[in-house]
Amino acid sequence: MWLRLSKRSREVGIHYYESAASNDWGPCHQRAVPDQFRALTQPRLLLMLLMGALGSGSLFTVFTYITPLLEEVTGFSEHKVAWILVLFGFGVTFCVGVSSLL
C-alpha cells in the first residue's frame, strides 16, 4: 500500500515543481483571505500544524534541558555532550526520513 502512496506523492511533487517552474499558480493563488482563514477550521490541517508545533517545541526542550542533565547528573564533559547532541540530531533526522516513507 505504501508504494501507491509513495508513487502518488511523487506525482504531486512533480506537478508542484512543474507549476512552480512555469509560474502557473492556478486558482489557489486567487483565493480571498477569508477563504484562507476558513481553511484553518479543517481538522486535518489543524492536526498537521499542531504536530509541527509540538515537534519543534519538543526539540527545543531536549536541547535546553539535556545539556545540564548530561553534565551534572551523568558527569559527561562539555565536549562529549556536544557529540552526544550531534548524534541525537543525526538520529532524529534519520528517523524522520524513514517515517516519511511509511
Side-chain angles (χ1 to χ4, degrees):
M1 176 164 177
W2 72 272
L3 290 175
R4 269 195 317 217
L5 293 174
S6 178
K7 182 179 178 185
R8 177 69 181 144
S9 297
R10 284 193 298 263
E11 291 171 359
V12 169
I14 290 170
H15 174 69
Y16 175 77
Y17 177 75
E18 289 172 351
S19 66
S22 66
N23 289 331
D24 177 26
W25 296 101
C28 293
H29 183 66
Q30 299 170 354
R31 291 194 176 164
V33 174
D35 291 337
Q36 294 177 10
F37 281 113
R38 209 171 301 124
L40 290 174
T41 62
Q42 296 178 3
R44 291 178 67 187
L45 178 61
L46 288 174
L47 178 65
M48 293 305 294
L49 291 173
L50 179 66
M51 287 173 53
L54 288 175
S56 299
S58 66
L59 280 177
F60 173 75
T61 304
V62 165
F63 284 117
T64 300
Y65 293 108
I66 198 142
T67 301
L69 179 74
L70 288 173
E71 289 176 354
E72 296 169 10
V73 176
T74 60
F76 286 113
S77 66
E78 290 182 26
H79 180 72
K80 288 183 181 180
V81 169
W83 282 107
I84 290 170
L85 292 176
V86 167
L87 289 174
F88 177 77
F90 281 131
V92 169
T93 304
F94 176 76
C95 289
V96 167
V98 169
S99 67
S100 69
L101 297 175
L102 300 177

